[in-house]
Amino acid sequence: MALLVTGCASRASEPQPTPEPTPTVRLGTVARAEVGVRLTVTATVDHVVAGAAFVVRDVDLTNGTLLVLSTDPAVMEPPQLVTVSGTVVDFSYRDLSDRYDLGPSGPYRDFEGGRALAADEVTVWK
């Protein structure tokens, strides 16, 4: 009997593994990507900001949206599906405005200091 009681007592004193912490915020694709990394995203068009700048929406994106900058005018409208390939960049309206002909700064305030995708190729799915 003594062995049985002792065996049970020693198991209870063994250290128990601590559970792995789970993130409370799901990091999106762009949040995980380093600046300068090539990325391809397929998502729906949320809205067109200016001639060559548009916002796409998908659950795997940071905050659900991503600003896409292209040197070619955007020929799409919500909720079309697009596939965009390009390079992850830090978004600064002041630094990127002339290159992408962004227009007035107001629509870009929510993206300032965040990440954007400088597109090399945009495919619009019909």
Side-chain angles (χ1 to χ4, degrees), residues 11-95:
R11 284 188 189 148
S13 64
E14 291 178 12
Q16 298 296 316
T18 56
E20 290 292 319
T22 56
T24 56
V25 177
R26 182 176 172 221
L27 294 178
T29 302
V30 178
R32 290 187 310 256
E34 302 263 339
V35 171
V37 167
R38 299 262 322 140
L39 188 66
T40 298
V41 174
T42 299
T44 57
V45 175
D46 187 69
H47 63 278
V48 176
V49 181
F54 59 96
V55 176
V56 295
R57 177 173 296 281
D58 189 86
V59 295
D60 195 34
L61 300 173
T62 307
N63 297 326
T65 61
L66 173 64
L67 176 63
V68 178
L69 307 172
S70 175
T71 55
D72 296 325
V75 185
M76 68 204 62
E77 56 188 61
Q80 282 184 300
L81 186 66
V82 295
T83 298
V84 183
S85 295
T87 305
V88 175
V89 297
D90 281 328
F91 182 74
S92 165
Y93 176 83
R94 184 175 55 159
D95 295 344

